[in-house]
Amino acid sequence: EEEEDVCPVCIEALQKNERKFIRFTCCGKGIHMWCAKGLEASSSLSDEQKTTCPLCRAKQPMSEEEMVKNLRPWVEKGKAWAQSMLGTQYEYGNGVNQSYQQARELYELSASQGNANAQYNLGIMYEQGQGVDQSYERAKEYYEAAAKQGYDIAQSNLGGLYYNGQCVDYSNEMAREWWMKSAEQGNESAIQGLQMLDKKEGRTTPSFIPKPIECASCYRPHDPSENKLRPCKRCHRVYYCGRECQVKHWKKEINGHKKGCNKKAK
């Protein structure tokens, strides 16, 4: 596995899912989203300080091109996180000319070092046939590598492969196993998958009841005394710090809650 990174603010390990923390391309360090949010809200920081890295005080990149420029030296040093991030820039054409080939090559370099994000992204490319010959078998290999590291989205997608019998035998048992691991981390898609399995198997009581783990928007952990999370009143599958986070997550274009909030969990 890739060397573990630690958030310098709370001294807790960074998650495998890169959506849950911010990586600064100046110093290469990562910080949890909720820690960054706390720093931004600090009244002791000037507006100028808030536009610089809170860790090394370097000026933050103001464009995708600047971000790519910052990433390249880290890639040359062989940093897996940078290879994965630059791969994403090439995959979506952010700050560079879009290239699935360049994305795949960078993801492969990163994945070979055990980077779970790169492994997951390669799984997506092979499942959807983006710049590669479509292959559920290769997708499963990469999803499984990331899933074994505890990457919740990869666990959810792997469960989907078993449920649909893609490159593997149909197996509700294996689908449930991976969806359960993912759901325990609060993954909404996995929770929906388990509800679907319950219905298919005729279960009268839910096999999984969502609990407050972290805010679905800023990923701040649930704390009954300091940060008590509240569920979405419509589906009760996800939890939020408050209305601000709920509205932000609802309106989010990619993986926003609006599309997934279709019925109340029972």
Side-chain angles (χ1 to χ4, degrees), residues 96-167:
V96 292
N97 292 326
Q98 196 279 338
S99 171
Y100 284 128
Q101 180 178 345
Q102 288 283 346
R104 178 179 57 79
E105 291 175 358
L106 285 161
Y107 286 151
E108 287 175 346
L109 286 172
S110 182
S112 68
Q113 296 190 63
N115 184 278
N117 290 296
Q119 292 166 344
Y120 166 75
N121 286 332
L122 282 168
I124 288 288
M125 292 185 78
Y126 277 104
E127 182 177 5
Q128 299 181 359
Q130 294 177 328
V132 295
D133 292 334
Q134 194 274 338
S135 170
Y136 288 124
E137 184 174 348
R138 294 300 304 277
K140 175 182 175 292
E141 291 175 8
Y142 283 115
Y143 284 153
E144 198 166 57
K148 287 180 177 179
Q149 294 194 62
Y151 198 140
D152 64 300
I153 309 177
Q155 293 170 337
S156 179
N157 286 17
L158 186 57
L161 292 183
Y162 277 105
Y163 181 81
N164 294 312
Q166 294 165 318
C167 90

Side-chain angles (χ1 to χ4, degrees), residues 7 32 264:
C7 173
H32 289 125
K264 186 174 181 179

Side-chain angles (χ1 to χ4, degrees), residues 23-30 53-58 60 70 74 81:
R23 177 77 70 175
F24 295 101
T25 56
C26 42
C27 58
K29 295 179 180 178
C53 173
L55 305 176
C56 71
R57 293 305 177 193
Q60 287 299 290
N70 282 1
W74 293 111
W81 62 264

Side-chain angles (χ1 to χ4, degrees), residues 2-263:
E2 186 184 15
E3 184 179 350
E4 186 177 77
D5 280 332
V6 175
C7 173
V9 176
C10 65
I11 320 298
E12 295 289 338
L14 295 177
Q15 304 98 320
K16 293 296 182 181
N17 187 341
E18 64 182 7
R19 295 179 177 86
K20 297 185 178 183
F21 63 89
I22 298 171
R23 177 77 70 175
F24 295 101
T25 56
C26 42
C27 58
K29 295 179 180 178
I31 181 173
H32 289 125
M33 281 193 175
W34 65 87
C35 291
K37 189 175 180 180
L39 290 174
E40 290 174 1
S42 175
S43 58
S44 63
L45 296 179
S46 66
D47 290 339
E48 183 178 352
Q49 287 176 315
K50 291 180 180 181
T51 63
T52 61
C53 173
L55 305 176
C56 71
R57 293 305 177 193
K59 192 74 175 178
Q60 287 299 290
M62 302 303 290
S63 66
E64 296 290 348
E65 288 77 12
E66 287 185 22
M67 178 176 285
V68 168
K69 185 178 179 180
N70 282 1
L71 282 171
R72 292 196 186 281
W74 293 111
V75 170
E76 291 174 4
K77 292 178 181 179
K79 294 296 184 180
W81 62 264
Q83 294 164 343
S84 179
M85 286 182 69
L86 187 56
T88 300
Q89 297 297 106
Y90 273 105
E91 181 177 356
Y92 295 101
N94 295 330
V96 292
N97 292 326
Q98 196 279 338
S99 171
Y100 284 128
Q101 180 178 345
Q102 288 283 346
R104 178 179 57 79
E105 291 175 358
L106 285 161
Y107 286 151
E108 287 175 346
L109 286 172
S110 182
S112 68
Q113 296 190 63
N115 184 278
N117 290 296
Q119 292 166 344
Y120 166 75
N121 286 332
L122 282 168
I124 288 288
M125 292 185 78
Y126 277 104
E127 182 177 5
Q128 299 181 359
Q130 294 177 328
V132 295
D133 292 334
Q134 194 274 338
S135 170
Y136 288 124
E137 184 174 348
R138 294 300 304 277
K140 175 182 175 292
E141 291 175 8
Y142 283 115
Y143 284 153
E144 198 166 57
K148 287 180 177 179
Q149 294 194 62
Y151 198 140
D152 64 300
I153 309 177
Q155 293 170 337
S156 179
N157 286 17
L158 186 57
L161 292 183
Y162 277 105
Y163 181 81
N164 294 312
Q166 294 165 318
C167 90
V168 292
D169 293 334
Y170 289 97
S171 175
N172 288 349
E173 182 179 353
M174 289 300 297
R176 182 177 293 281
E177 180 179 328
W178 285 112
W179 278 341
M180 189 67 74
K181 291 178 184 291
S182 182
E184 287 172 349
Q185 297 186 64
N187 186 281
E188 187 175 357
S189 294
I191 294 172
Q192 287 180 301
L194 290 172
Q195 292 171 351
M196 182 171 59
L197 263 181
D198 287 348
K199 184 177 180 179
K200 181 178 180 180
E201 296 174 352
R203 292 180 180 238
T204 56
T205 56
S207 59
F208 180 84
I209 299 176
K211 297 179 181 179
I213 300 172
E214 62 186 14
C215 175
S217 179
C218 72
Y219 304 110
R220 184 178 180 182
H222 172 67
D223 186 327
S225 60
E226 296 183 4
N227 187 52
K228 189 174 182 179
L229 303 181
R230 304 292 183 183
C232 167
K233 293 182 179 180
R234 185 179 179 189
C235 71
H236 287 254
R237 277 195 294 264
V238 294
Y239 289 77
Y240 300 102
C241 297
R243 180 171 175 76
E244 181 182 349
C245 280
Q246 185 168 11
V247 171
K248 185 177 180 180
H249 191 221
W250 182 269
K251 294 181 178 180
K252 193 176 180 181
E253 290 186 14
I254 300 177
N255 297 320
H257 187 53
K258 185 175 182 179
K259 293 181 179 179
C261 186
N262 52 12
K263 61 181 179 180

